[in-house]
Amino acid sequence: MIAFSPRKMILNTQKQKKTLKGSKKLASSYLVSSRYNRLFSLLLKTSTAAKKAFYSQVKTIVRQEVSALVRPSSKSVWRSSSKHGIDSIMQFSWDKVLEETKLLCPVLYSSLSSAIAKQDDLTKRIGERHISLKPNLGCVIGQIVFAQKPTTMKFLQEITGVQLCLSGTAREAFVRLNHLGLTLSTDAVRSAVDRLRMNYDKKHDIIAIFAIFAEH
């Protein structure tokens, strides 16, 4: 039994060449007419080389964007800390985090937001309620910048650690969460708690202030 036909292989090769030639011609017309969505869609569907090049470009762009976000000159929201007192916590908002990311990291923001939410307003409907997914997206971004610059971009991990400490979380849990990049070490968290208590204004409920991180 013949597993393949040389003639059939030749015909298939010729057909593929014609298809590729037609795709390139169509891609050129899309480029000339500035129909970029159709151009990229066509190239990604028909060209393995174009797909690899696209992925490579996305990786390069995202790395550049994150580098810009963690750069000292960016004055990122994530550079705030307990050293600045309770005011830095009260002034925090997920909207600021997302606005900053959208401005400095448009490709990263577009990728993450589309992965997390189906709606552009970053909400999810559960029954009759619309739940905001901004904290979810913000936490992912906080993890990314912390992985890049753990000594300076640690606001999320510090405040998470303080909340866990005030709620009586066991030391073993701290160690595990610290290894996952979700919080700082126990010593670093204790220092943060001490700083906040020193600058603590009794007019505010410190536990209530931290609730801002769970607000929708």
Side-chain angles (χ1 to χ4, degrees):
M1 180 178 178
I2 300 176
F4 62 90
S5 166
R7 177 179 172 79
K8 189 174 182 180
M9 289 182 65
I10 292 172
L11 290 174
N12 285 339
T13 302
Q14 291 175 343
K15 186 177 179 180
Q16 289 173 358
K17 286 182 178 179
K18 286 182 180 179
T19 301
L20 183 60
K21 186 176 180 180
S23 297
K24 287 183 176 179
K25 187 176 181 180
L26 186 57
S28 297
S29 68
Y30 287 154
L31 179 62
V32 171
S33 58
S34 300
R35 299 163 75 181
Y36 299 117
N37 277 335
R38 291 200 173 188
L39 170 63
F40 292 138
S41 179
L42 175 65
L43 290 175
L44 291 173
K45 285 180 180 178
T46 60
S47 173
T48 301
K51 188 179 293 186
K52 288 181 179 179
F54 175 78
Y55 292 156
S56 177
Q57 281 297 306
V58 169
K59 285 194 291 185
T60 299
I61 292 170
V62 168
R63 284 170 180 159
Q64 291 172 345
E65 289 180 348
V66 174
S67 294
L69 180 59
V70 302
R71 196 175 296 145
S73 58
S74 72
K75 297 181 180 179
S76 172
V77 173
W78 299 114
R79 289 185 179 279
S80 298
S81 74
S82 57
K83 292 179 181 179
H84 303 131
I86 205 76
D87 288 341
S88 64
I89 299 170
M90 295 183 67
Q91 292 168 6
F92 176 89
S93 78
W94 292 116
D95 285 331
K96 288 182 180 178
V97 168
L98 300 185
E99 286 170 9
E100 172 185 87
T101 308
K102 195 172 184 178
L103 177 64
L104 296 176
C105 308
V107 175
L108 175 67
Y109 178 86
S110 297
S111 301
L112 293 179
S113 60
S114 60
I116 284 179
K118 294 181 180 180
Q119 306 295 330
D120 289 339
D121 62 356
L122 295 174
T123 60
K124 180 180 181 179
R125 184 170 180 175
I126 300 179
E128 297 298 319
R129 295 188 305 153
H130 286 272
I131 305 300
S132 174
L133 296 174
K134 290 180 180 180
N136 304 68
L137 178 55
C139 283
V140 174
I141 297 167
Q143 286 282 87
I144 291 172
V145 296
F146 180 70
Q148 288 288 320
K149 296 287 184 179
T151 58
T152 55
M153 309 291 280
K154 58 184 180 181
F155 189 59
L156 175 66
Q157 288 71 21
E158 183 179 64
I159 299 307
T160 301
V162 170
Q163 292 183 79
L164 292 172
C165 181
L166 294 175
S167 62
T169 302
R171 181 183 178 86
E172 184 179 348
F174 261 104
V175 173
R176 292 182 179 180
L177 292 173
N178 177 237
H179 287 166
L180 293 173
L182 297 173
T183 183
L184 301 182
S185 66
T186 52
D187 290 340
V189 170
R190 283 199 196 98
S191 297
V193 171
D194 290 341
R195 282 193 295 268
L196 289 172
R197 282 175 175 163
M198 285 174 60
N199 300 315
Y200 174 55
D201 182 345
K202 292 185 178 179
K203 291 186 296 182
H204 302 297
D205 180 350
I206 196 167
I207 300 294
I209 289 171
F210 287 135
I212 191 172
F213 289 88
E215 286 182 358
H216 292 165

